[in-house]
Structure formats: C-alpha cells, structure tokens
Amino acid sequence: MWSTSKLDLVRSIGADRVIDYSQDDFANGETRYDLILDTGGNSTLSRLRRALTPRGTLVIVGGEGGGRLSGMGRQLRALALSPLVGRRLTMLGPKEHCTVLERLTELIEGGKLVPAIEQTYPLNEMPNAMRHLKAGRARGKLVIAVSST
C-alpha cells in the first residue's frame, strides 16, 4: 500500500498491484492475501487477519513506538493469537533482519534488485534528509553518505 503520490514510482519498479490506501481499503474488499508484510503498524491485528486467506501469513516488521513493552505489544499479541486463528501471525526479529539484509545485498550486488534511491545526502546534511522524510515527500530511499576522510 502506498500513498497516492508514490503509486507511479511503485508501479515503475515492478509492482503487479498497487493499493492507494487513501482511496481503497485492502481489508474490506473481496481480495484476500496469502502474505501481508506489515511495516507501518497502522492496522489492527483483526483487520489484517480479515484480509488474509484462510491459510495466509502476516509478518509484522519492527515495533511501534509509544506502546507497552517498548512497542512490541502488537507483535507479542500476534504470536499468542496465531495458534488460535488458523493463520500464521509472526514477526521479523533481529536474527531474521540480518538474513533478509544479507539476501537483499546479494540481489543488489547481482543486479537483480535495484533500489529506488531518490537522493544521496552527505552526513552533514542529514537533518535536511530527515526533514524531507518526515514531511512525507520522499519518493524513494534517502541515502546518507558517510565519508572516511
């Protein structure tokens, strides 16, 4: 799911289907998904479960800020609920992050994956990069270049 301003970018990098969350509700349609990768943390577990196929999988990536248990409450509820609902509700933990990053590195180095980089900022301009990101204007990844000199 992407905001309206980023739909063309997402299509241009190969997405088969793009959902504009400002116009469409992925959880209330007839389409059900085998896999939902939740990186935003904006939907409730029940809403995400409703959008899964009967044997679908939900993977929660990262924690939400401000919650109990250092933002891990939703992930822990998902793990506890998973055996009871017939769907796999899980999370991507630190160990899996390393494996995923290693695989992404292999794909990038092999030319099979090209990241959508909007702009590279030198380290001393990092505040500008963060303002751009926080304003929601980034249409790709922002890179912070750290020089060894």
Side-chain angles (χ1 to χ4, degrees), residues 25-32 47 50-51:
D25 184 355
F26 76 96
N28 285 337
E30 292 182 16
T31 304
R32 296 291 172 251
R47 186 165 185 267
R50 193 169 53 245

Side-chain angles (χ1 to χ4, degrees), residues 30-47:
E30 292 182 16
T31 304
R32 296 291 172 251
Y33 303 93
D34 294 317
L35 173 68
I36 295 176
L37 184 65
D38 180 22
T39 61
N42 297 324
S43 292
T44 64
L45 289 178
S46 61
R47 186 165 185 267

Side-chain angles (χ1 to χ4, degrees), residues 3 5 19 21 27 29 40 48 52 74 76 84 92 98 102 104 115 119 124 130 138 141 149:
S3 65
S5 66
I19 300 170
Y21 65 80
L48 292 165
L52 287 170
R74 195 166 72 109
L76 295 175
L84 307 173
L92 194 61
C98 290
E102 289 169 359
L104 286 173
Q119 188 171 347
N124 65 340
M130 296 306 295
K141 295 300 179 187
T149 58

Side-chain angles (χ1 to χ4, degrees), residues 4-146:
T4 304
S5 66
K6 298 176 184 163
L7 294 177
D8 291 336
L9 170 67
V10 175
R11 284 187 190 104
S12 76
I13 60 175
D16 293 327
R17 182 163 185 251
V18 180
I19 300 170
D20 179 349
Y21 65 80
S22 70
Q23 303 293 320
D24 302 309
D25 184 355
F26 76 96
N28 285 337
E30 292 182 16
T31 304
R32 296 291 172 251
Y33 303 93
D34 294 317
L35 173 68
I36 295 176
L37 184 65
D38 180 22
T39 61
N42 297 324
S43 292
T44 64
L45 289 178
S46 61
R47 186 165 185 267
L48 292 165
R49 284 188 5 247
R50 193 169 53 245
L52 287 170
T53 60
R55 297 179 49 85
T57 298
L58 166 65
V59 179
I60 300 172
V61 180
E64 296 85 37
R68 295 181 307 210
L69 301 171
S70 299
M72 296 293 291
R74 195 166 72 109
Q75 290 88 330
L76 295 175
R77 284 193 310 279
L79 292 175
L81 190 60
S82 186
L84 307 173
V85 296
R87 292 171 177 95
R88 184 168 180 245
L89 310 179
T90 187
M91 63 185 208
L92 194 61
K95 181 180 177 183
E96 292 85 5
H97 278 137
C98 290
T99 304
V100 169
L101 289 175
E102 289 169 359
R103 181 65 181 136
L104 286 173
T105 300
E106 290 171 8
L107 292 170
I108 291 168
E109 289 175 348
K112 295 181 180 180
L113 175 67
V114 178
I117 298 173
E118 177 184 323
Q119 188 171 347
T120 300
Y121 290 86
L123 183 59
N124 65 340
E125 290 185 27
M126 188 169 172
N128 293 333
M130 296 306 295
R131 281 190 284 279
H132 184 69
L133 186 64
K134 188 175 180 181
R137 294 189 311 258
R139 293 185 39 88
K141 295 300 179 187
L142 304 180
V143 176
I144 306 300
V146 180

